[in-house]
Amino acid sequence: VLTLHQLAPELADDIARVDIVYFIDACMDITLEHPQVTEIQSSLSTVTVSHFSSPRDLLVLTKQLYNAEPRAYLIEMPAESFE
């Protein structure tokens, strides 16, 4: 288990070593009343470090560097305060 405030390209090495990865995101989306789980997959696009910003980007980078494609899920948790 890794607890991070933001995603970084260096995580691709860790992700390549597992079968399943969960990205948990606290979000202030007022329409989100309950946790939402979405399966995500790497797209066919490429990613560069300068345009790296999402779990999907990290999965693309993991596939490009390590030819690994673990199952991945984004869990969005409703939140009210980030203090």
Side-chain angles (χ1 to χ4, degrees):
V1 175
L2 299 174
T3 303
L4 306 165
H5 292 284
Q6 67 182 32
L7 299 176
E10 294 81 10
L11 293 171
D13 183 57
D14 293 316
I15 291 172
R17 300 169 194 248
V18 299
D19 295 322
I20 300 174
V21 61
Y22 298 94
F23 298 96
I24 301 173
D25 184 26
C27 59
M28 292 182 67
D29 182 348
I30 61 172
T31 63
L32 189 64
E33 295 180 16
H34 304 286
Q36 181 175 329
V37 180
T38 307
E39 186 169 6
I40 54 176
Q41 299 176 352
S42 62
S43 64
L44 298 175
S45 65
T46 59
V47 66
T48 61
V49 175
S50 63
H51 291 93
F52 181 84
S53 62
S54 72
R56 180 170 281 118
D57 291 342
L58 189 52
L59 292 172
V60 170
L61 185 62
T62 301
K63 179 161 176 53
Q64 288 175 343
L65 296 177
Y66 301 98
N67 198 32
E69 292 185 89
R71 291 186 72 174
Y73 298 90
L74 173 61
I75 303 170
E76 295 175 291
M77 303 290 293
E80 294 181 14
S81 175
F82 291 94
E83 295 177 18

